[in-house]
Amino acid sequence: MALRRFSDITTVFLLTIYRAISLAFVDWPDTFPLGLLDLDIVDKIHLDPNTTTQFSIDYGQLSQAAPAAVLCPSSPDDIAALVRFAYTSSRYFAIAARGRGHSVGGQAFAPGGVVVDMASLGRGRADRINVSSDDAPARWYVDAGGEQLWIDVLHETLKHGLTPRSWTDYLHLTVGGTLSNAGISGQAFRHGPQISNVYELDVITGKGDMITCSHEENSDLFYGVLGGLGQFGIITRARISLAPAPQRVRWLHLVYTNFHMFTRDQEMLISKLEKGFDYVEGRLLKGKDVSSSSFISEEDSEKIKLLADEFGAIYLLEGAVYYEQATASMVHQELESLLKQLSFAPGFAFTTDVSYIGFLDRVHEEDTKQSSTEHEGVVHPWLNLFLPKSRIRDFESAVFKGILKNNNPVGLVLIYPFNKNKWDDEMSAAIPDEEGVFYTIGLLPSATREDWEYFDKQHHEILSFCHQEGIEFKQYLPQYVTETDWRKHFGRKWDVFVQLKRRYDPKALLSPGQRIFTNPL
């Protein structure tokens, strides 16, 4: 294969990546060390601008950074070969594994380096999602490639009458992507985040080693990778726990005019781990951002808008109860009894029954109803916070009734609680130190390139308030840029985090877009 096929720029890049053959513009010699990098990898590395441009922007649409190349692997061995070569190369280049690119702050970028297109692992293959069980009774699991979408995992497990326990609201994300953060949704109060439901991982470290890890085997890597923001390895397989899948879901929207009652009821519902709701979330409704649910009539939607106009801000508690068709009558009776204990506004309880998969894939279904033109030019200046329960009222007073008090758009604002004891403290994910319950606040506006700075300024004002008032928050999907901020974010976990980086990615090759480690350790 002659280097003459490539442009001068391409040749220089290949010489850099493939450790600089001493003479350019010559044929690959038979003595080239194929043990470092198989020739098949060469054919899977793309340097053309049409390809690299696709990987230079993310879902946020707010920043851009082009990689020098994109690897389209057909197996985890291809990824390991690239990382091993980078680790032994005298010329530094970073590597970022990218699934759906759903980050909003450039976290999946590899400026001037190599982006690994994880989707390529699953193309044309039907063996990347496998349902099985251990000898131990009732321990079913699914082995899913890190590149697989959760919606595809769901479809496959449902063929066996099984389902993962914990989800994200949007299922068209990759397994490796959400497990590198935490993976949260309204089921997490009961089952913990997605990272709390993993038995085992296959990981490619920053040295190019392919390691299987679990609670018992290579446990430091296992705990570090889960919630580790891609800093210690690339997840190529995850073994995820499964449970029997319900058939139906009773989906509820309950409207509150009082924040205290709203949060009190949420906290009561997440304390009922045996019977009660299987899913609990909530959101702020105000001004122009009061929109109707897909199952609420136009007449009822107008009633909700009038209530929001009257109180300035109201709150929606979203819940769900899973059930089987055979037990529907009993479940509905229990639900009616439970609703009598809640303090939502009289006449503002709305329910519907949907299939299990219809409920889980609801966000995507709503998204597909929008035309392609509605998505054009949309940017996502998002901010996600974890707040201790003791400060949620302070946040409400200053933010929901202060910073967001006028009728300017605020976008989607999620508010719902977790039980801290459902999170494994050994994992890298950073949550508030306060015991008991903590809240997630998701400020998720969709903006244009002309007005996104309005939301960005709003979010900075919110963060400044938290700092000034001593609220010990944590960012979820964090966007820090200084070591001081990262130290504060990880808190007492920071020293272990650095030790793991030194052990598994000492040259800081992986996930440079997170901006945690900018130099080799």
Side-chain angles (χ1 to χ4, degrees):
M1 177 179 180
L3 285 179
R4 293 186 182 91
R5 297 181 191 178
F6 302 96
S7 67
D8 290 351
I9 294 175
T10 299
T11 299
V12 171
F13 180 78
L14 285 173
L15 290 175
T16 300
I17 287 192
Y18 306 128
R19 238 184 168 177
I21 298 177
S22 58
L23 295 175
F25 303 102
V26 297
D27 290 340
W28 291 95
D30 293 335
T31 55
F32 184 77
L34 299 180
L36 281 178
L37 194 62
D38 192 282
L39 280 176
D40 287 344
I41 304 298
V42 176
D43 298 331
K44 297 169 186 175
I45 292 179
H46 301 267
L47 302 101
D48 60 287
N50 287 337
T51 300
T52 57
T53 299
Q54 294 177 39
F55 294 85
S56 66
I57 198 161
D58 61 10
Y59 183 71
Q61 300 276 319
L62 292 169
S63 56
Q64 188 169 352
V70 175
L71 172 68
C72 297
S74 58
S75 73
D77 290 334
D78 294 343
I79 303 173
L82 175 69
V83 179
R84 280 195 298 270
F85 192 85
Y87 183 66
T88 58
S89 175
S90 60
R91 297 285 297 274
Y92 175 86
F93 64 92
I95 298 169
R98 175 175 170 135
R100 294 302 298 273
H102 210 257
S103 58
V104 297
Q107 292 93 331
F109 292 167
V114 180
V115 168
V116 178
D117 177 19
M118 295 297 289
S120 297
L121 282 178
R123 289 195 183 112
R125 298 183 60 178
D127 62 345
R128 296 290 291 166
I129 306 176
N130 298 287
V131 175
S132 189
S133 66
D134 285 338
D135 294 333
R139 193 178 114 136
W140 285 88
Y141 58 81
V142 58
D143 283 317
E147 79 288 351
Q148 293 296 314
L149 302 184
W150 283 102
I151 184 63
D152 295 327
V153 173
L154 176 61
H155 282 300
E156 187 62 30
T157 59
L158 286 178
K159 295 177 184 177
H160 302 265
L162 299 168
T163 177
R165 294 175 170 86
S166 191
W167 296 98
T168 54
D169 286 331
Y170 185 64
L171 303 190
H172 295 248
L173 304 174
T174 62
V175 168
T178 66
L179 295 182
S180 295
N181 290 282
I184 60 172
S185 187
Q187 303 90 355
F189 78 89
R190 177 166 295 180
H191 302 294
Q194 289 180 314
I195 57 174
S196 294
N197 292 271
V198 178
Y199 291 140
E200 186 177 276
L201 298 171
D202 283 345
V203 174
I204 297 172
T205 71
K207 296 179 179 180
D209 297 327
M210 302 175 71
I211 298 177
T212 297
C213 54
S214 65
H215 294 279
E216 296 81 24
E217 181 183 8
N218 300 308
S219 59
D220 63 334
L221 181 61
F222 179 76
Y223 291 123
V225 166
L226 292 171
L229 305 177
Q231 294 304 299
F232 315 121
I234 297 170
I235 298 171
T236 58
R237 178 187 64 90
R239 178 166 292 180
I240 301 154
S241 66
L242 299 176
Q247 294 175 329
R248 303 290 297 174
V249 176
R250 172 61 69 92
W251 188 7
L252 306 96
H253 280 186
L254 311 174
V255 179
Y256 288 73
T257 58
N258 182 285
F259 185 78
H260 171 67
M261 291 180 178
F262 166 70
T263 54
R264 184 193 65 185
D265 283 359
Q266 282 188 318
E267 291 166 19
M268 183 271 285
L269 289 168
I270 71 166
S271 71
K272 293 181 176 292
L273 297 183
E274 297 303 321
K275 289 187 177 182
F277 285 13
D278 295 290
Y279 164 99
V280 175
E281 287 197 9
R283 70 184 73 158
L284 171 69
L285 301 177
K286 71 181 299 292
K288 299 177 182 178
D289 296 294
V290 177
S291 59
S292 63
S293 164
S294 58
F295 65 80
I296 296 178
S297 69
E298 290 186 12
E299 180 181 354
D300 287 332
S301 294
E302 286 302 316
K303 286 171 53 181
I304 295 173
K305 290 176 182 178
L306 289 173
L307 196 69
D309 289 341
E310 179 182 353
F311 286 89
I314 58 177
Y315 305 91
L316 177 72
L317 192 159
E318 184 178 21
V321 177
Y322 303 158
Y323 67 94
E324 307 301 320
Q325 200 67 54
T327 60
S329 178
M330 180 184 67
V331 169
H332 292 168
Q333 287 178 12
E334 292 174 350
L335 178 57
E336 289 303 316
S337 177
L338 181 57
L339 289 177
K340 293 177 182 177
Q341 303 175 43
L342 304 180
S343 301
F344 53 86
F348 285 87
F350 310 97
T351 68
T352 191
D353 287 274
V354 295
S355 67
Y356 180 61
I357 193 170
F359 173 72
L360 291 180
D361 203 30
R362 63 199 180 280
V363 175
H364 177 71
E365 287 300 312
E366 286 294 317
D367 192 53
T368 56
K369 292 177 182 177
Q370 296 182 351
S371 66
S372 59
T373 56
E374 290 180 282
H375 291 284
E376 291 179 3
V378 175
V379 300
H380 302 94
W382 289 2
L383 175 66
N384 294 273
L385 303 175
F386 290 156
L387 299 179
K389 170 188 169 181
S390 64
R391 304 303 302 272
I392 192 66
R393 295 292 300 278
D394 296 330
F395 190 89
E396 182 250 350
S397 297
V399 177
F400 301 152
K401 293 183 177 178
I403 296 172
L404 308 180
K405 65 182 177 181
N406 56 35
N407 283 327
N408 287 332
V410 296
L412 176 63
V413 179
L414 298 179
I415 314 158
Y416 59 98
F418 300 119
N419 290 312
K420 186 178 180 181
N421 61 7
K422 295 296 180 178
W423 294 62
D424 192 325
D425 192 51
E426 291 191 72
M427 296 177 181
S428 292
I431 59 176
D433 291 333
E434 184 177 290
E435 294 301 320
V437 169
F438 68 95
Y439 277 80
T440 183
I441 306 293
L443 298 124
L444 313 176
S446 294
T448 67
R449 297 196 179 280
E450 289 71 38
D451 67 4
W452 75 268
E453 290 181 337
Y454 162 79
F455 293 102
D456 189 58
K457 180 180 179 182
Q458 195 176 73
H459 295 167
H460 279 292
E461 190 175 353
I462 291 169
L463 292 174
S464 294
F465 160 74
C466 291
H467 287 303
Q468 292 169 5
E469 296 301 315
I471 297 178
E472 295 295 325
F473 69 91
K474 302 291 184 182
Q475 280 195 36
Y476 179 59
L477 312 177
Q479 302 180 54
Y480 300 116
V481 294
T482 69
E483 181 178 318
T484 299
D485 286 335
W486 283 113
R487 281 177 174 271
K488 184 175 182 180
H489 174 74
F490 285 108
R492 54 190 170 76
K493 294 184 179 184
W494 174 251
D495 289 342
V496 172
F497 201 82
V498 172
Q499 290 170 14
L500 290 172
K501 188 69 171 179
R502 185 174 290 117
R503 185 177 306 152
Y504 292 108
D505 184 23
K507 289 194 173 181
L509 300 176
L510 302 180
S511 294
Q514 296 283 0
R515 300 186 291 271
I516 303 175
F517 300 97
T518 55
N519 296 296
L521 277 70

